[in-house]
Amino acid sequence: RDRYEYSHKRLQPYIEFGLSPHLHLNSRRNIKTEYYSDSSIYNERDAIGFNKLQFVLVLSAGINYHFFKRLTAFGQPSYRHHLSSMRINADGTKAHFYSIGFEFGVRYSFSSYFKSTKS
């Protein structure tokens, strides 16, 4: 993934995009109706036409806030779109998944982000 940062100040906007491989481990199915409720984990990887290795397009834009030279907080909305189909249904249609979310956290850098101005 690539990230383009637009300043070297304390508050730093950025955009990020790229391709990410994902490995599908299991699936969870929740069924709720007026008369019936069921939640189960099942192994969809055994289904015919299932692709357990997915390639996902990732797009996000966010803001970094540098507290100190090595400590940074970040927040970003993100969009992920599966480029490869998850499975081929019995009628020949393909299922492509997507997700929209928000990520936030704290990063610690082992090397200083800001360059020293001393010679």
Side-chain angles (χ1 to χ4, degrees):
R1 296 184 350 189
D2 287 328
R3 177 190 299 223
Y4 293 95
E5 298 169 340
Y6 292 104
S7 75
H8 291 287
K9 297 180 181 178
R10 197 172 283 279
L11 191 63
Q12 178 184 54
Y14 64 87
I15 60 172
E16 185 177 70
F17 61 92
L19 192 64
S20 176
H22 287 212
L23 184 62
H24 186 83
L25 299 176
N26 66 18
S27 297
R28 181 178 201 133
R29 181 183 319 186
N30 291 322
I31 300 171
K32 289 186 180 182
T33 67
E34 187 177 341
Y35 306 104
Y36 178 76
S37 179
D38 181 38
S39 179
S40 60
I41 296 175
Y42 61 98
N43 191 356
E44 192 173 22
R45 292 180 295 176
D46 295 335
I48 297 172
F50 182 81
N51 297 321
K52 69 179 181 179
L53 179 63
Q54 302 289 309
F55 291 98
V56 179
L57 175 67
V58 179
L59 303 170
S60 61
I63 294 176
N64 287 328
Y65 183 80
H66 300 283
F67 292 107
F68 306 106
K69 288 183 179 181
R70 297 180 183 195
L71 187 64
T72 303
F74 70 92
Q76 65 183 31
S78 65
Y79 173 76
R80 289 173 169 39
H81 181 81
H82 288 244
L83 299 174
S84 50
S85 64
M86 181 67 93
R87 66 179 171 271
I88 300 173
N89 298 325
D91 61 357
T93 59
K94 295 180 181 180
H96 292 270
F97 295 103
Y98 68 92
S99 67
I100 298 171
F102 189 79
E103 301 167 357
F104 59 92
V106 177
R107 292 185 187 106
Y108 180 80
S109 175
F110 292 104
S111 63
S112 178
Y113 181 78
F114 294 106
K115 295 183 172 59
S116 175
T117 57
K118 296 180 181 177
S119 305

